[in-house]
Amino acid sequence: MKKLTLKSVAEELGVSTATISNAFNKPNQLSKAKRLEILERCEELGYTGPNKAARSLRRGKTGIVGLVLANSISYTVNDAVASTFISGVSQCLEANGQQLLLVSGAGDDLNNVNDFVDGYLCYGSPTNPNLIDALSKTTKPVITVDFNIDDYPSVNIDNIEACYQLVKQTIRPDDVVAVIGLRLIETQLTCRIYDVPMIDPVTSISRRRLLGYEKAFSECGVDFNYGQLWSIPENIESFAVRAAKEVLSNQPRPTIVYCMSDLIAVYFIREAIEIGLSVPDDIRVVGFDGTNEGQRFHPNLTTVVQNSDSKGERAAIMLLKQSKESQLLPFALHFGDSCPTNG
Amino acid sequence: MKKLTLKSVAEELGVSTATISNAFNKPNQLSKAKRLEILERCEELGYTGPNKAARSLRRGKTGIVGLVLANSISYTVNDAVASTFISGVSQCLEANGQQLLLVSGAGDDLNNVNDFVDGYLCYGSPTNPNLIDALSKTTKPVITVDFNIDDYPSVNIDNIEACYQLVKQTIRPDDVVAVIGLRLIETQLTCRIYDVPMIDPVTSISRRRLLGYEKAFSECGVDFNYGQLWSIPENIESFAVRAAKEVLSNQPRPTIVYCMSDLIAVYFIREAIEIGLSVPDDIRVVGFDGTNEGQRFHPNLTTVVQNSDSKGERAAIMLLKQSKESQLLPFALHFGDSCPTNG
DNA sequence: ATGAAAGCGCTAACAC
DNA sequence: GTGTTAGCGCTTTCAT
């Protein structure tokens, strides 16, 4: 069987390549009858239409969107919040006939993908800073989410305000506080943060959350210093459990713990129960994200519900519409059994 | 700034296009000195190397692998088991410099992706049967996972045997049994299955699991008919909760429930506890998959642990190595608190 | 070791 | 309405 190309098919049917191309791409450039006949004969031959790779070379559009993640793909797809974001993105892309290429945030550059994508969505600051550089240099459109690069349009929630409100509505004057953050510093360690310089707030969503907590602590007259602040490098069991154990064994033991993800909160509660504490009676625990698991969990988490899928959808729409205006999305506080309001 | 192409750069440097190409692709086709000089000048100009899309047109390889999912992307990335599979795939692909393109199992065809990928990984039978057709017709290599298409190499676990063993080690002679399956029939409904024809075992992993349960029920002399069999269309809360409620309100109430996913089991237990039952004292619950959440959950699930990430890794390796031999991967039974062994 | 030229498969501009 | 042709950016013979 000979290779099926526009050219070979055109020869076979005795018409020019342009006519075949038009039959597939520009219906009103030729008579309906001829068009239908061509399409039918093509189907007989097994020709499913012009080669998309070649078309993209000519047109300069591939129909593929690159989604640059903060971390490796393998880590990211197992994170409930990120998955929900991807879900929103893909919903929009599927509806618009665009394809989704996942790009690791741990890669060195965009060389292997840049020529295949029409634009980028970036979900969180890539761990490899080279990528930020590559993104700020590319000629393709870029939308950032949960962080910013240069003047690219972005999608965010007001993390500072969310955390501020969360503390305001849960803290009590005599509380001993602990905070478990996520990627507050660039390290692969679970550790307490004393006077280490943290990632800047523009890049780091966690840093912004911390600013919100701190503002409320200070307004409420609650002691908080960086000996009460832990950071874990990734949102996974091993790090979360380790941090939980450290926090729980600290003296005086905290009476309320603010976790920068629901997953951290879930593991924290598990560890607290393990050593015989009652949540929320002995220790109150607050999450962040509003994941399904946090709601399935017992006790159900007090948390900030952010709609990660609509974040994804918005970002994708912005990219497809070439919108230049950044968006600030709403959030909602949810008060579950892990920490009642102070109201 | 003029456009940077192999040609424009070659002119700029006063050498031929082939030389530039060789400098990037075939180091030993030219002197080290010249090569280094060219690379340096290219970097100065901001030329990062030959356009990958054009290269792929010429070479016929893109470095992109298509991962065809059973369902929509948005559904799949939120499924813990599927995410773990994707994780394994991406780990292998990242290590080999390949890119990952996610393809919805609900799409009509592969036309928009086929020319951009070097081959396909298929995780579960696509809901749109057109895709199975498209896959069996493509000239690109295909590896299937958890199901089979024609003679393409595949990766599976022995679902029949796993379920057979699971029942054998948990069932008691006087048990009243219920089974909650996943996609046993093609419908969007949660329902009991009486005499509806189910999807065939070659395509359906759930059907094979059912065969394993049934074999053990029958060997153990436990009654089981399709009035005790429910099916839900997707592995999500709404369907799982509905099925759980139906099962729990059935008379006589089951004493043991086999769920075809850990997620179903988790929701089932939640519902059981909700109506005042004790797990495992009043009702025993068995899952399938061995997800992290199932182990975080209280009570910890009895389940079949399948290593979804190594499944993904194996499948990806097979595709990259062009291996033609199908693989059967091991599984392990885990006995948690949701259902003790009968031994 | 380097350069010239063909062509991967297609689309857009223009000619008829 | 249909055909001819240039060229998207590259790699690969084949000469030199």
Short mmCIF file of all heavy atoms in Angstrom, two decimals, chain A residues 81 180 182 209 213 232 235 259-266 286-289 301 303:
data_model
loop_
_atom_site.label_atom_id
_atom_site.label_comp_id
_atom_site.label_asym_id
_atom_site.label_seq_id
_atom_site.Cartn_x
_atom_site.Cartn_y
_atom_site.Cartn_z
N VAL A 81 -5.15 18.71 44.47
CA VAL A 81 -5.46 20.08 44.07
C VAL A 81 -4.99 20.34 42.64
O VAL A 81 -5.74 20.87 41.81
CB VAL A 81 -4.79 21.08 45.03
CG1 VAL A 81 -5.19 22.50 44.67
CG2 VAL A 81 -5.18 20.77 46.46
N ILE A 180 2.20 24.95 59.44
CA ILE A 180 2.97 24.04 58.59
C ILE A 180 2.80 24.49 57.14
O ILE A 180 1.72 24.40 56.57
CB ILE A 180 2.51 22.58 58.72
CG1 ILE A 180 2.54 22.16 60.21
CG2 ILE A 180 3.42 21.66 57.89
CD1 ILE A 180 2.13 20.71 60.45
N LEU A 182 4.23 24.98 52.99
CA LEU A 182 4.59 24.13 51.86
C LEU A 182 5.54 24.92 50.98
O LEU A 182 5.18 25.97 50.46
CB LEU A 182 3.29 23.83 51.11
CG LEU A 182 3.25 22.77 50.04
CD1 LEU A 182 3.76 21.45 50.57
CD2 LEU A 182 1.81 22.61 49.55
N ARG A 209 0.35 33.19 51.73
CA ARG A 209 -0.53 32.66 52.77
C ARG A 209 0.02 33.00 54.15
O ARG A 209 -0.72 33.40 55.05
CB ARG A 209 -0.68 31.14 52.62
CG ARG A 209 -1.46 30.79 51.37
CD ARG A 209 -1.64 29.29 51.18
NE ARG A 209 -2.23 29.04 49.86
CZ ARG A 209 -2.35 27.85 49.30
NH1 ARG A 209 -1.93 26.77 49.93
NH2 ARG A 209 -2.90 27.73 48.10
N TYR A 213 -1.73 34.90 57.44
CA TYR A 213 -1.78 34.40 58.82
C TYR A 213 -1.16 35.43 59.77
O TYR A 213 -1.73 35.78 60.80
CB TYR A 213 -0.93 33.13 58.97
CG TYR A 213 -1.39 31.87 58.24
CD1 TYR A 213 -0.44 30.98 57.74
CD2 TYR A 213 -2.74 31.53 58.10
CE1 TYR A 213 -0.80 29.79 57.11
CE2 TYR A 213 -3.11 30.34 57.46
CZ TYR A 213 -2.14 29.48 56.97
OH TYR A 213 -2.50 28.32 56.36
N ILE A 232 7.47 22.12 54.63
CA ILE A 232 7.78 20.85 53.98
C ILE A 232 7.92 21.11 52.49
O ILE A 232 7.30 22.03 51.95
CB ILE A 232 6.72 19.76 54.26
CG1 ILE A 232 5.37 20.10 53.62
CG2 ILE A 232 6.56 19.56 55.76
CD1 ILE A 232 4.35 18.98 53.76
N ASN A 235 3.96 18.20 48.95
CA ASN A 235 2.69 17.88 49.59
C ASN A 235 2.44 16.37 49.60
O ASN A 235 1.51 15.89 48.96
CB ASN A 235 1.58 18.60 48.81
CG ASN A 235 0.28 18.70 49.57
OD1 ASN A 235 0.29 18.79 50.79
ND2 ASN A 235 -0.83 18.69 48.84
N CYS A 259 -2.43 24.52 58.55
CA CYS A 259 -1.70 23.75 57.54
C CYS A 259 -1.96 24.37 56.18
O CYS A 259 -3.09 24.75 55.87
CB CYS A 259 -2.18 22.31 57.53
SG CYS A 259 -2.07 21.51 59.14
N MET A 260 -0.94 24.45 55.34
CA MET A 260 -1.14 25.10 54.05
C MET A 260 -1.73 24.18 52.98
O MET A 260 -1.78 24.54 51.81
CB MET A 260 0.17 25.72 53.57
CG MET A 260 0.53 26.95 54.38
SD MET A 260 1.66 28.03 53.54
CE MET A 260 2.15 29.11 54.89
N SER A 261 -2.14 23.00 53.38
CA SER A 261 -2.90 22.15 52.46
C SER A 261 -3.78 21.22 53.27
O SER A 261 -3.49 20.93 54.43
CB SER A 261 -1.97 21.33 51.56
OG SER A 261 -1.46 20.22 52.25
N ASP A 262 -4.84 20.75 52.65
CA ASP A 262 -5.71 19.80 53.32
C ASP A 262 -4.98 18.49 53.60
O ASP A 262 -5.21 17.85 54.61
CB ASP A 262 -6.94 19.51 52.45
CG ASP A 262 -7.98 20.61 52.53
OD1 ASP A 262 -7.76 21.59 53.26
OD2 ASP A 262 -9.02 20.49 51.85
N LEU A 263 -4.12 18.13 52.67
CA LEU A 263 -3.40 16.87 52.85
C LEU A 263 -2.55 16.91 54.11
O LEU A 263 -2.53 15.97 54.91
CB LEU A 263 -2.52 16.59 51.64
CG LEU A 263 -1.96 15.17 51.62
CD1 LEU A 263 -2.95 14.23 50.93
CD2 LEU A 263 -0.62 15.11 50.93
N ILE A 264 -1.87 18.01 54.32
CA ILE A 264 -1.07 18.16 55.53
C ILE A 264 -1.99 18.04 56.75
O ILE A 264 -1.67 17.36 57.73
CB ILE A 264 -0.33 19.52 55.56
CG1 ILE A 264 0.63 19.63 54.37
CG2 ILE A 264 0.44 19.68 56.87
CD1 ILE A 264 1.31 21.00 54.25
N ALA A 265 -3.13 18.68 56.67
CA ALA A 265 -4.07 18.66 57.80
C ALA A 265 -4.55 17.24 58.08
O ALA A 265 -4.62 16.82 59.25
CB ALA A 265 -5.26 19.57 57.50
N VAL A 266 -4.85 16.50 57.04
CA VAL A 266 -5.32 15.13 57.22
C VAL A 266 -4.26 14.29 57.92
O VAL A 266 -4.54 13.56 58.87
CB VAL A 266 -5.69 14.51 55.84
CG1 VAL A 266 -5.76 12.99 55.94
CG2 VAL A 266 -7.01 15.08 55.34
N VAL A 286 -6.50 23.29 60.94
CA VAL A 286 -7.09 24.01 59.82
C VAL A 286 -6.31 23.66 58.56
O VAL A 286 -5.08 23.61 58.58
CB VAL A 286 -7.02 25.53 60.08
CG1 VAL A 286 -7.59 26.30 58.90
CG2 VAL A 286 -7.76 25.88 61.36
N GLY A 287 -7.02 23.42 57.48
CA GLY A 287 -6.37 23.07 56.22
C GLY A 287 -6.38 24.22 55.23
O GLY A 287 -6.59 25.39 55.58
N PHE A 288 -6.14 23.89 53.99
CA PHE A 288 -6.25 24.86 52.90
C PHE A 288 -6.47 24.09 51.62
O PHE A 288 -5.76 23.11 51.37
CB PHE A 288 -4.98 25.71 52.76
CG PHE A 288 -5.20 26.99 51.98
CD1 PHE A 288 -5.21 28.22 52.60
CD2 PHE A 288 -5.45 26.93 50.60
CE1 PHE A 288 -5.44 29.40 51.88
CE2 PHE A 288 -5.68 28.10 49.88
CZ PHE A 288 -5.67 29.34 50.52
N ASP A 289 -7.43 24.50 50.83
CA ASP A 289 -7.71 23.96 49.49
C ASP A 289 -9.16 23.58 49.28
O ASP A 289 -9.73 23.83 48.23
CB ASP A 289 -6.85 22.74 49.11
CG ASP A 289 -5.40 23.10 48.86
OD1 ASP A 289 -5.17 24.24 48.45
OD2 ASP A 289 -4.52 22.26 49.10
N LEU A 301 -12.70 18.75 57.53
CA LEU A 301 -11.76 19.85 57.73
C LEU A 301 -12.33 21.27 57.64
O LEU A 301 -13.13 21.56 56.76
CB LEU A 301 -10.64 19.79 56.69
CG LEU A 301 -9.71 18.58 56.65
CD1 LEU A 301 -8.64 18.81 55.59
CD2 LEU A 301 -9.09 18.34 58.02
N THR A 303 -11.32 24.72 56.37
CA THR A 303 -10.37 24.99 55.28
C THR A 303 -10.81 26.17 54.42
O THR A 303 -11.89 26.72 54.61
CB THR A 303 -10.23 23.70 54.41
OG1 THR A 303 -9.15 23.83 53.51
CG2 THR A 303 -11.51 23.43 53.63
#
